[in-house]
Amino acid sequence: MKVPLSWLREYVDLPAVTAHEVADKLTAAGLKLESITSHGHDVKNVVVGEVLEIEELSGFKKPIRHCKVETGEATPRMIVCGATNFQAGDRVPVVLPGGVLPGGFEVGSRKTYGRMSEGMICSERELGLGDDHNGIMVLPADTPIGADVVELLGLRDDVIELEITPDIGYALSIRGVAREAATGFGVSFRDPADVEPPAATGTAWPASIGDPTACDRFVLREVRGFDPAAQSPLWMRVRLTRAGLRPVSLAVDITNYLMLELGQPLHAFDRAQLQGEIVVRRARPGERLETLDHVVRELDPDDILITDQSGPISMAGTMGGLKTEISDVSTDIVIEAAHFSATGTSRESRRHGLVSEASKRFERGVDRELPLVASWRAVQLLAELGGASVEPGVTHAQVDVEAARIAIPAGYPSRVAGVTYSKETVVSRLEQIGCVVVDGDDPAVRKGGVDPTGVVTGGSLAARLAVNGDDMITVTPPSWRPDLTDPNDLAEEVIRLEGYESLPSELPSAPAGAGLTEGQRLHRRVGRALAEGGYVEVLNYPFISGDDFDKLLLPADDARRQAMRLANPLSEDEPFMRTTLLPGLLKTLVRNVGRGFADVALFETGSVYRPRENAPKVAPVLGVERRPTAEELASIEAALPDQPLRVAVVLTGEFERSGWWGGGRQASWADAVQAARLVAAESRVELSISADQHEPWHPGRCAALYAGDTLVGHAGELHPRVIEAYGLPPRTSAMELELSRLESLMPGPVEAPKVSAYPVATQDVALIVPDFTPVADVEAALRDGAGELLESIRLFDVYAGEQVGEGNKSLAYSMRFRAADRTLTVEETTAARDAAVVMAADRVGAQLRSS
């Protein structure tokens, strides 16, 4: 919403403040500032001139005129001009030499087309008044010669642009913003809607409401003898342009002007094109309408229409029909003002992709009391500016609507804000926005009782919010605030008008024993460990498509294919809740690679959704008038899927970067397994690794991850067909692990390790084993055989070649031994090493390598 400051001052007695100070007050009131634009402040030396003589110059490709212009100076000015829409005797705006136009464009004397030009005759666009550049701006004949055009036309102005959220539709008008500005500055407000139309004497064009759910008030007024050639006055065109609308014609400009000023959309029909009674109803199957944008639209049965005997003539609250449009020969006009359903207009606008200035206002809620006033002001302006005569009748069809009443404890805003507001403050603030406030709890609003302890039970939300000693008040919101529907809305109004800046900035006291759960701590530790390990965290939508199951090569009976389908998916391409984190990660990886990032390592932690067996397909929908019972909560819980927390990584390209320091290292399945070890280390759980075949991993490069006997995940290189299906780089690797299972296996509180003061003893051992032997099995055997003196073990070399025999490999380990109470002897460490080798020989057939 663009608000010219000069227009705002017409209804608010603002003090001598700048546009920025006004914007600050509006921002404090909850309106969001977009920008402030200044107009005309740099314009100078532009005056009114009268064209005395015109000499047509020949020999040029376009018409050129040399004009003698009286500007109120000692002698007339000679000015060259290329426009032809003016004649001798016309009054025009003239920039004198040394003058400046909007944008800092300076004008001087210069020779052009063989003649001296002492200034410039201006068009509307050159003065910053609009986009019309078809000719010179011709002023009224009685405009004083030599008058300052900047003051005369109101060129100097500031425009405050606000972003209007859906809950404050009243601010889509000068009226609404002016009321907020008046409240902010504590000054008087003159309501442009404070007009009393004359008593109706008969009806205008016949009309009725066919569907009360679509419209509850419909008003028609008529004018006759309108002059179609009448031009919109300059002041109106300037205001429309400053507010962001393009002037069209007098009749259309009047409806747009009043819409901006009051917030009530209006529509003008050509009376000659109407046929029979007008009816507001829903669309019928097969109906069509050609709208003002020359598009023939197939209408939906839920669309709200204005119709006559010929069928639809307008999409109510959105756009009029082409057939009944005001034309260059229209002399009799019917003005329509109505109050249409906000939800109906919103759905209609989105259904047809047709967002108009009218639909923006109707879908946010329009003042139901405005149609009579706005239509009366429209016909008055048509008569005043267009020479029309106003017909005395008015058609007023309406459906009775009971005014909303809200019961609220007077102390409720104080409890919400944590600041004490007196009852007088609460009442005065609510009355300031137009509410009618009466003492007491209206029985028609709240029905409830009081239990033996004196606490209010049952009834409305307000009654349940009350505490002992609270004074109840009943509030009737004004018609221009349809967004005020419950006690929380009223509390917000009191708080914002008292000032958000007055709210204390205090952290709430944490209750004893509260804090992060062990699972939350694990979640954070895992994220930090992976980030430190070179991975970048991403957050994907938890939605997947059915095609993802096929791309991942999941068997038909795989549990991951049993996915929850959304009732209202954001996209029909991804209607399922994810059962694995991999699809989202793989798509993000492809997107990054496509943007030129060849070396990528990503991770994500999040929930997956696994339906429970025999669970209800649909969760019960409960009301909000009371707290659900334990049985109702259990029924909702039973319908929810299991939601275990998982962590997954994907990586491709160089995991260790190459550079001037040397070559890097390509990411491989081993890095995916190491990522799982990082996660397990944060949960203080020892992982065991074994070969496995599990989709979507490569059958020969897939590792199963176990914590004890519990399978917690898989890691390895992805299957080539999966890589091809997603368009991934070759040899892409991934890991997925269930954090919820690791959490359940975590040991108790961490005990500080005992640090030995005695030196460490190191023994190296090289073992020959069959090449199919898992390294993890060899390491486990060495650990068990070495006993409690073993502090750590590290694999530092793997060798396969002639020296160890075909089908074998050599594994070299560094084993560190230490005792807590003594310095170990060579005999002790050698004995521990030999015991480890014996255990490895017994379990996996290892042989000690001699050289």
Side-chain angles (χ1 to χ4, degrees), residues 689-757:
I689 315 297
S690 62
D692 197 4
Q693 294 188 15
H694 187 72
E695 295 77 8
W697 282 274
H698 190 296
R701 302 187 182 104
C702 173
L705 312 173
Y706 285 91
D709 296 330
T710 303
L711 178 67
V712 294
H714 288 84
E717 183 181 310
L718 292 174
H719 196 290
R721 287 167 56 191
V722 175
I723 290 174
E724 181 181 2
Y726 280 100
L728 299 165
R731 311 302 291 268
T732 297
S733 299
M735 178 276 290
E736 185 171 22
L737 184 151
E738 194 153 304
L739 274 179
S740 297
R741 293 183 184 174
L742 281 184
E743 181 187 353
S744 65
L745 298 171
M746 288 175 61
V750 179
E751 294 184 8
K754 295 179 180 179
V755 179
S756 174

Side-chain angles (χ1 to χ4, degrees), residues 76-301:
R77 297 278 185 175
M78 302 303 296
I79 301 175
V80 174
C81 184
T84 60
N85 68 312
F86 64 97
Q87 57 190 1
D90 284 345
R91 304 285 172 94
V92 294
V94 178
V95 187
L96 299 177
V100 180
L101 288 175
F105 179 69
E106 296 185 10
V107 176
S109 298
R110 66 190 181 99
K111 190 172 184 180
T112 180
Y113 297 102
R115 301 296 177 95
M116 180 60 68
S117 181
E118 303 174 298
M120 176 179 173
I121 305 175
C122 302
S123 67
E124 288 188 12
R125 190 171 75 177
E126 289 161 344
L127 291 173
L129 294 175
D131 295 328
D132 188 2
H133 196 55
N134 295 324
I136 293 304
M137 181 181 184
V138 179
L139 301 172
D142 58 352
T143 307
I145 296 175
D148 184 357
V149 170
V150 172
E151 298 297 332
L152 181 71
L153 303 183
L155 294 185
R156 289 195 183 97
D157 204 353
D158 293 302
V159 177
I160 302 171
E161 185 174 2
L162 303 169
E163 179 183 330
I164 307 303
T165 53
D167 61 322
I168 53 172
Y170 66 90
L172 275 173
S173 66
I174 300 297
R175 180 195 187 206
V177 177
R179 182 180 283 108
E180 293 291 344
T183 301
F185 284 98
V187 296
S188 59
F189 164 66
R190 292 177 294 279
D191 191 350
D194 189 13
V195 177
E196 188 67 34
T201 56
T203 60
W205 193 273
S208 63
I209 297 173
D211 187 343
T213 66
C215 174
D216 56 34
R217 176 162 283 175
F218 192 76
V219 175
L220 298 177
R221 296 185 190 270
E222 289 186 41
V223 296
R224 304 282 183 89
F226 174 74
D227 180 8
Q231 296 293 313
S232 300
L234 183 60
W235 61 267
M236 182 177 287
R237 300 203 308 272
V238 170
R239 281 190 170 177
L240 288 174
T241 301
R242 293 281 193 260
L245 294 185
R246 179 177 60 87
V248 178
S249 64
L250 178 58
V252 175
D253 291 349
I254 287 174
T255 59
N256 284 338
Y257 180 84
L258 292 174
M259 177 184 66
L260 291 172
E261 184 175 75
L262 301 175
Q264 171 66 54
L266 300 166
H267 188 71
F269 294 104
D270 186 343
R271 188 181 188 278
Q273 302 301 320
L274 297 176
Q275 301 177 27
E277 181 185 18
I278 290 177
V279 179
V280 184
R281 60 171 174 81
R282 302 281 181 175
R284 294 168 183 161
E287 285 189 313
R288 308 168 75 192
L289 174 66
E290 184 175 4
T291 46
L292 292 174
D293 56 358
H294 299 276
V295 175
V296 178
R297 302 184 184 276
E298 300 289 338
L299 300 175
D300 187 271

Side-chain angles (χ1 to χ4, degrees), residues 310-334:
S310 67
I313 59 174
S314 177
M315 293 176 65
T318 305
M319 184 173 284
L322 188 64
K323 176 186 172 185
T324 55
E325 158 184 50
I326 300 297
S327 67
D328 294 339
V329 295
S330 300
T331 58
D332 299 338
I333 297 175
V334 175

Side-chain angles (χ1 to χ4, degrees), residues 421-586:
Y421 302 124
S422 67
K423 180 180 178 181
E424 291 73 19
T425 298
V426 172
V427 172
S428 66
R429 286 303 189 183
L430 293 177
E431 289 178 340
Q432 201 169 30
I433 62 172
C435 295
V436 176
V437 183
V438 296
D439 279 331
D441 187 4
D442 192 325
V445 178
R446 176 181 67 84
K447 295 179 181 179
V450 179
D451 69 11
T453 64
V455 177
V456 179
T457 60
S460 68
L461 171 63
R464 297 196 303 277
L465 294 175
V467 296
N468 293 339
D470 255 346
D471 289 335
M472 296 294 291
I473 56 176
T474 299
V475 181
T476 302
S479 57
W480 57 83
R481 293 298 303 271
D483 57 301
L484 303 181
T485 59
D486 63 47
N488 291 315
D489 296 328
L490 300 179
E492 181 182 5
E493 292 300 302
V494 173
I495 295 167
R496 77 176 181 89
L497 293 178
E498 282 295 300
Y500 292 121
E501 69 279 1
S502 65
L503 298 179
S505 180
E506 297 179 4
L507 290 174
S509 300
L516 296 178
T517 65
E518 192 57 39
Q520 291 169 331
R521 292 192 183 95
L522 174 61
H523 190 174
R524 293 191 179 188
R525 290 200 305 270
V526 166
R528 284 196 296 267
L530 289 174
E532 292 168 358
Y535 293 85
V536 176
E537 184 173 17
V538 297
L539 183 64
N540 296 304
Y541 284 117
F543 314 125
I544 58 175
S545 70
D547 291 341
D548 285 316
F549 303 137
D550 297 328
K551 290 180 178 179
L552 293 176
L553 307 179
L554 302 185
D557 59 350
D558 195 298
R560 287 171 290 178
R561 282 187 176 270
Q562 308 303 313
M564 302 282 290
R565 185 179 180 89
L566 293 165
N568 54 341
L570 293 179
S571 169
E572 286 299 333
D573 293 334
E574 294 182 326
F576 299 104
M577 297 297 289
R578 66 188 177 194
T579 56
T580 168
L581 299 179
L582 291 180
L585 273 173
L586 297 180

